[in-house]
Amino acid sequence: MPYFDTASAAPLHPVALQALLAALDEGWADPARLYREGRRARLLLDAAREAAAEAVGCRPDELVFTSSGTTAVHAGIAGALSGRRRVGRHLALSAVEHSSVLHSAAAHEAAGGSFTEVPVERSGAVDPAAYAGALRADTALACLQSANHEVGTEQPVAEVAALCAEAGVPLLVDAAQSLGWGPVAGRWSLLTASAHKWGGPAGVGLLAVRKGVRFAPQGPAGERESGRAPGFENLPAIVAAAASLRAVRDEAAAEAVRLRALVGRIRSVVAERVGDVEVVGDPERRLPHLVTFSCLYVDGETLLHELDRHGFSVSSGSSCTSSTLEPSHVLKAMGVLSEGNVRVSLPMGTAEADVDRFLDVLPGVVAEVRERLGAPVSAPPSPAPAASLVVDALGRRCPIPVIELAKVIGEVPVGATVTVLADDEAARLDIPAWCEMREQEYVGEEPADRGSAYVVRRLS
């Protein structure tokens, strides 16, 4: 069964498994003790730290191991903000950061601080000049991911890092999605990552803090990992994480070329074979293994279940697959279609035949889901002009509001409007996205008794 969701968690690398089993035998003792077993454990821990630091591009004494990538983010942001509290309490971050960064920002604001979200372009990347504009005299820390976890777009980290350095603001880079493919360029100050993203075991994160960066660890003090990650080290998992990071780096150059070609094929073939689809993210400046697309008139949860039934494990950022019914904050910030969203992230070693079979199966699955929902199969005919229409889609989840809009847009004359009443949060994103794809005018949102009224003007 092809597993195409390595952006969530990569399969355990064979080297990681070998190292884990070996370390369970040799690395069970306390590395802080001076007797023979403790010294052996300390040697393993030091070797793992050196290997990880070499991959990150920092000194071994600048890197600590945490219990997860999320823990590394939380500790890194809290420590850097506290260390620079005399400068101010302002935090800058992009609008498409991982939820761990957003949650840290929310906690910082709740404690009396402030933060600014830098908007992104439709590709998902920030404009370095716009990011620089968010830096203030009281900015204590800036955050920018190396590459986006939902759409694969690489961020201009080196450019932003240079601007932050010029402004005297440290930059924390969340490198969870990219570290397995190579080091992060630029003059970053702090870096975080997570082992299960590159084929290491879950439960190991990395936090690197450059020398000279003011940093005050938060929470109760600990004696281990420079006081930045309290608790007994999971040494076997740490050894496996470092070993697998070195192994995947050795394979990365060749696999990046091969997977980039497969992802390029997915991007082009999906656009050709599946009508009413938007492939999102930067087509060039992107991770080599990840592609995301959104299908009009499709319920994302049903689509993912059907693909799973055909043997494909994929993910989604669509609100149609979310228990909160909130559209993905990444897709929302980009202003792209969220309904029927599919994220394909290929693990190293993915067979070309599996990708070809996915591309053969996908069009039929999408067509079947659309048929169940009563979606239009082609552009609607143009009947005699009628008065402007109101579509009541209150209480109905995506993609129904957009499907109902598509059904009736041809029933009003050019220049007239269709008003869609909807209380599904995704409509706020998907109706404007539909208008752009269909070259109709999105007039705007108006308050309604329940939910909102979305007004669309027919242009053709």
Side-chain angles (χ1 to χ4, degrees):
M1 178 174 177
Y3 176 77
F4 289 172
D5 192 23
T6 190
S8 293
L12 193 66
H13 195 282
V15 168
L17 179 59
Q18 294 170 6
L20 180 64
L21 294 175
L24 286 171
D25 288 334
E26 298 292 329
W28 50 267
D30 185 348
R33 302 306 171 198
L34 298 180
Y35 41 71
R36 181 179 59 255
E37 294 86 356
R39 294 197 304 272
R40 184 184 302 129
R42 169 57 65 178
L43 288 173
L44 289 174
L45 180 59
D46 289 346
R49 196 183 314 278
E50 289 177 6
E54 181 182 6
V56 169
C58 67
R59 293 169 35 161
D61 59 351
E62 294 174 329
L63 184 144
V64 299
F65 295 104
T66 67
S67 59
S68 68
T70 293
T71 300
V73 167
H74 292 170
I77 292 177
L81 287 172
S82 179
R84 285 173 48 84
R85 59 187 177 277
R86 291 185 178 180
V87 173
R89 303 198 65 192
H90 178 251
L91 172 66
L93 63 151
S94 84
V96 294
E97 295 298 314
H98 187 267
S99 60
S100 59
V101 176
L102 300 183
H103 292 159
S104 289
H108 176 60
E109 184 179 50
S114 64
F115 68 90
T116 298
E117 284 191 3
V118 182
V120 296
E121 300 168 347
R122 195 171 179 84
S123 67
V126 298
D127 177 2
Y131 201 104
L135 303 178
R136 309 184 327 206
D138 64 338
T139 301
L141 178 66
C143 298
L144 182 65
Q145 59 191 191
S146 55
N148 187 260
H149 50 292
E150 288 193 25
V151 301
T153 297
E154 293 180 335
Q155 297 291 355
V157 172
E159 295 94 321
V160 171
L163 293 169
C164 287
E166 184 178 339
V169 177
L171 176 68
L172 182 149
V173 177
D174 170 16
Q177 288 296 332
S178 73
L179 192 61
W181 297 104
V184 177
R187 298 163 60 189
W188 51 265
S189 302
L190 303 95
L191 182 142
T192 63
S194 185
H196 74 279
K197 302 292 187 181
W198 67 67
V204 179
L206 305 180
L207 170 60
V209 182
R210 297 281 197 195
K211 293 295 182 183
V213 175
R214 291 187 177 275
F215 191 91
Q218 298 302 286
E223 291 76 29
R224 299 175 186 271
E225 296 300 299
S226 304
R228 296 173 182 172
F232 197 93
E233 298 95 343
N234 184 351
L235 185 53
I238 288 172
V239 170
S244 59
L245 180 55
R246 175 176 286 176
V248 298
R249 280 289 189 83
D250 289 342
E251 304 165 3
E255 273 296 278
V257 173
R258 197 179 69 84
L259 294 183
R260 186 173 291 275
L262 291 178
V263 166
R265 175 166 167 75
I266 294 173
R267 292 180 67 92
S268 60
V269 173
V270 165
E272 293 170 1
R273 297 183 185 176
V274 182
D276 299 317
V277 69
E278 181 178 15
V279 182
V280 302
D282 195 296
E284 300 297 332
R285 192 167 179 170
R286 58 177 173 81
L287 292 172
H289 69 301
L290 196 155
V291 57
T292 299
F293 53 89
S294 300
C295 306
L296 270 176
Y297 319 132
V298 169
D299 169 41
E301 184 172 4
T302 302
L303 180 58
L304 264 59
H305 282 315
E306 287 301 311
L307 288 171
D308 179 61
R309 191 169 63 84
H310 283 81
F312 295 97
S313 301
V314 298
S315 185
S316 173
S318 171
S319 63
C320 302
T321 64
S322 170
S323 59
T324 65
L325 302 185
E326 291 285 335
S328 154
H329 73 277
V330 172
L331 302 179
K332 186 175 182 179
M334 294 168 62
V336 298
L337 185 69
S338 74
E339 67 184 47
N341 177 262
V342 175
R343 181 185 70 182
V344 175
S345 47
L346 307 177
M348 290 186 173
T350 296
E352 184 176 353
D354 288 337
V355 172
D356 288 340
R357 189 165 72 84
F358 173 77
L359 293 172
D360 288 339
V361 166
L362 180 68
V365 170
V366 172
E368 181 181 342
V369 173
R370 285 173 172 165
E371 184 178 3
R372 292 184 201 171
L373 294 171
V377 295
S378 61
S382 299
S388 296
L389 295 177
V390 175
V391 174
D392 186 351
L394 291 168
R396 309 185 74 182
R397 288 181 56 188
C398 74
I400 299 301
V402 178
I403 289 176
E404 295 303 315
L405 169 61
K407 286 180 177 179
V408 303
I409 190 69
E411 298 178 13
V412 300
V414 172
T417 61
V418 174
T419 299
V420 181
L421 303 177
D423 52 8
D424 185 351
E425 181 66 22
R428 183 169 287 113
L429 179 61
D430 291 343
I431 289 177
W434 180 90
C435 289
E436 181 163 338
M437 294 176 70
R438 282 288 179 268
E439 297 183 341
Q440 308 295 345
E441 179 186 354
Y442 177 63
V443 177
E445 178 183 349
E446 300 174 355
D449 291 340
R450 290 171 51 208
S452 298
Y454 302 94
V455 183
V456 176
R457 178 173 287 110
R458 182 184 176 190
L459 299 182
S460 60

